Amino acid sequence: MDYDAMDGLEDIGPRVTVRQALRDRADFILENIDLSFANSLRRTLLAEVPTMAIDLVEVQVNTSSLADEFIAHRLGLVPLNSKNVDDVSYTRDCEYCEQYCEHCSVTLDLHARCTGDEIMKVYARDLVVAEPRPNEWVGTPVITDSLGLGSVICKLRQNQEIRMKCVAKKGIAKEHAKWAPTSAVGFEYDPHNKLKHLDYWYEEDPEKEWPKSGNAAWEEAPQEGEAFDYAAQPSKFYFDVESVGNLEPDAVVLQGIKVLQQKLALVIQELSGDDRNGDVDGFGGPRSPDGMQGGDYGMDQGYTTPFGNTGGQTMYGGGTTPFGATPYG
């Protein structure tokens, strides 16, 4: 697209200026919108863009020094490719299963055993994706280091072994941080503080103690003695989106806008009295894998043991200790 040809057009709607676009970062300016919309987009990028993450771990063998729950938690934080995540159904909406299947999840197998004298490290690269899956991308561990190893999951000594079946599901960061598409979203407006939305605390000189950010170069500085404009409103916002790797930063922004559209459509639907089961144009909006309405939400803590227990149970059954009662009665 020829962006230079657009310079002469009148600003009649939102305008985006991309300042930097990298593999894991996008820096852009969003103009001609109000503060509420810009902040809504920021919050959506942080917490409501759906991604894939390991949600269930079936522990078959674990003789490492780490507890089952500890490893399950670390596995949940391994970034997984979420390209075309719309091809994956939410578990509670899946028509083919009650817990997980190839339509609403991706299965990864982890098996490692240390046979030497040196300490062995288990990496994200050791997670093997099982077929079939919704598409060729979702569920693959994200590996960005030069050695192609990925995140460290655990360490094993001689004769120690782990064997686990991991089930990745679709979810959002509002439910758990492991589904977060971004590690950070930088957000700033009015870098010169013309609107006086910030009241700087300072000892001697606020100009020296609170240096301006790089965004200040994109706006005119206030003139000395300039009258305060009580009717002024912010309309230029600076975003710096940093992805964790499961989605490209531009895809994160596009998905965030899509989620906002779905949420606004739901509001319009409710106000208009339309009762299509809360589904607008086939989109139900982002939700957690198990949902928070109905079902047994919160019952499964995301791991199982060879003894057949699920959730927070122990090998002795329920939440009890070998002595038959919990320490807290």
Side-chain angles (χ1 to χ4, degrees), residues 13 59 70 89 93 113 124 191 238:
V59 181
F70 198 103
S89 302
D93 295 336
R113 179 181 175 85
Y238 304 90

Side-chain angles (χ1 to χ4, degrees), residues 29 60 71 74 78 95 119 133 202 254 269 294 314 317:
I29 303 173
Q60 300 167 346
I71 297 180
R74 293 183 64 85
V78 174
E95 302 175 353
I119 292 178
R133 49 178 167 166
Y202 62 93
L254 292 176
Q269 174 185 312
T314 67

Side-chain angles (χ1 to χ4, degrees), residues 150-191:
S151 308
V152 177
I153 297 173
C154 68
K155 298 179 181 180
L156 301 177
R157 284 188 171 183
Q158 188 174 20
N159 296 326
Q160 289 185 339
E161 179 184 9
I162 59 171
R163 181 182 297 151
M164 301 179 178
K165 178 182 178 181
C166 310
V167 180
K169 296 184 179 182
K170 179 180 175 182
I172 58 175
K174 183 181 286 187
E175 175 67 18
H176 194 286
K178 64 187 177 184
W179 281 295
T182 59
S183 55
V185 176
F187 178 75
E188 185 182 18
Y189 66 92
D190 188 24

Side-chain angles (χ1 to χ4, degrees), residues 107-127:
T107 301
L108 301 95
D109 295 317
L110 176 63
H111 183 203
R113 179 181 175 85
C114 179
T115 57
D117 297 332
E118 299 293 329
I119 292 178
M120 171 185 175
K121 293 182 180 180
V122 181
Y123 295 95
R125 69 172 182 181
D126 299 314
L127 288 165

